[in-house]
Amino acid sequence: MMGCILAWRVQLKGFANKLGKKVTGNNNYEFGDISKKAAKIAKDGAEELGKELTGDENYKFGDLSKKAAKGASKAAEHAAEVAAKDSKKLKEAADAAGKIITEDEDYAFGDITKKVAGNVLKKTAEGTKKASEYLDKVTKQQLPKKLE
């Protein structure tokens, strides 16, 4: 039984590789390349958003997090003092730190996370949809006519 499953997996991977080579036109295609491409699209989308948010054309994925972490250490000392007083002052401190880090006077705590997460999800969904459409199209082309 286990031998049958293993043989089936090998055949399926071989089919996926052939299908991927045909879809992409790349004779070096390996199973998983489309998923890697979808991940790259999502990462590129996050980088474009980072460039837009920061105004830095050299922005790379993670730069904003690094900058936030660096600024957060300074803000954390101040925030700890404010937290002891009351939660309203803590939120004001987080907003103030965010405005300094982002250089955006309209910044509110959580804005960066919401925007980045939303755009990463959108780009990932778009990439996944494109990959799925390709696979559906090519799979249908490979099926014998009487199965359609």
Side-chain angles (χ1 to χ4, degrees), residues 39 49 61-62 75 80 84 94 110 123 125 129 136-137 142:
L49 177 62
F61 187 69
K123 291 293 184 180
K129 182 179 178 187
D136 285 346
K137 179 182 174 185
Q142 295 296 318

Side-chain angles (χ1 to χ4, degrees), residues 45-127:
E47 284 187 356
E48 287 302 314
L49 177 62
K51 289 176 184 178
E52 181 181 319
L53 286 174
T54 64
D56 178 5
E57 284 301 313
N58 296 317
Y59 174 87
K60 294 290 178 203
F61 187 69
D63 287 354
L64 197 53
S65 298
K66 291 174 192 171
K67 188 175 181 180
K70 193 174 184 179
S73 65
K74 291 179 182 177
E77 289 178 29
H78 181 67
E81 295 170 13
V82 173
K85 295 179 183 176
D86 66 45
S87 62
K88 181 179 178 188
K89 289 184 180 179
L90 176 60
K91 181 168 180 335
E92 290 170 0
D95 285 342
K99 289 175 183 179
I100 292 168
I101 292 167
T102 62
E103 299 174 353
D104 178 3
E105 285 300 311
D106 295 327
Y107 173 84
F109 188 70
D111 286 354
I112 294 171
T113 303
K114 290 174 194 170
K115 193 163 187 179
V116 169
N119 280 303
V120 167
L121 289 174
K122 180 180 175 186
K123 291 293 184 180
T124 301
E126 289 170 359

